[in-house]
Amino acid sequence: MPNPDADRASAVPVLVLNGPNLNLLGLREPEIYGRDTLADIEELCRSTAAEHGLRADLRQSNHEGVLIDAVQEARTAHRGIVINPAGYSHTSVALRDALAAADVPIVEVHLSNIHRREEFRHFSYVSGVADAVICGAGAHGYALALAHLARLVHKA
């Protein structure tokens, strides 16, 4: 008989980090970001992670320094990072530098296709240090990101 507690204990820890305003998912501009809430996405992340032998540590903050602290913690506490940096994608060199120093695989995810939006959104500082970038797949992008991250961490 399978032991879920044992499976969880042996699962590889990964960080799923969400940036500013993602706490408003489902309410803020649903025509762009969809109707899924952050809680819906977190449940998707938990189940997808478990399917791939991962344990997702889920965090969201509207504060750049809190996100940077989480990335720095991930260097020793996690084996990989899925990050939706949201608006910090286009503005935060500090977050990019923290990710560059993380020394774990990184998958960047965006709900919308940032390349079909305003020109300032076409560039992401994070993309230059990410192992993969998934955008435009809505909430399903997180499942894709975790599946790919699982391949990266299990290969390492």
Side-chain angles (χ1 to χ4, degrees):
M1 172 184 240
N3 181 344
D5 291 333
D7 291 344
R8 181 160 168 73
S10 66
V12 175
V14 297
L15 176 63
V16 178
L17 192 57
N18 285 290
N21 298 311
L22 293 173
N23 56 308
L24 299 176
L25 286 175
L27 302 171
R28 176 179 170 248
E29 301 178 274
E31 67 280 2
I32 295 173
Y33 302 110
R35 299 218 177 271
D36 289 310
T37 65
L38 184 58
D40 296 333
I41 289 172
E42 288 175 340
E43 182 52 38
L44 172 66
C45 289
R46 277 187 204 91
S47 63
T48 303
E51 289 170 14
H52 294 282
L54 306 175
R55 185 181 72 249
D57 177 4
L58 305 152
R59 302 190 198 177
Q60 185 278 328
S61 181
N62 295 319
H63 305 282
E64 185 178 28
V66 172
L67 297 171
I68 292 167
D69 289 343
V71 169
Q72 289 179 358
E73 178 189 322
R75 295 186 75 221
T76 57
H78 301 94
R79 298 256 315 274
I81 299 170
V82 169
I83 183 169
N84 183 340
Y88 288 135
S89 307
H90 326 292
T91 64
S92 183
V93 172
L95 182 58
R96 178 247 180 252
D97 288 350
L99 289 161
D103 200 30
V104 297
I106 298 163
V107 179
E108 179 182 9
V109 65
H110 295 278
L111 293 162
S112 67
N113 182 345
I114 61 175
H115 303 289
R116 295 185 73 187
R117 300 201 45 208
E118 304 92 337
E119 190 169 334
F120 74 87
R121 295 186 195 276
H122 296 183
F123 176 79
S124 168
Y125 284 103
V126 172
S127 295
V129 297
D131 295 282
V133 179
I134 298 169
C135 66
H140 182 63
Y142 284 85
L144 296 170
L146 282 161
H148 187 66
L149 187 63
R151 290 184 64 188
L152 296 174
V153 301
H154 291 309
K155 195 165 53 169

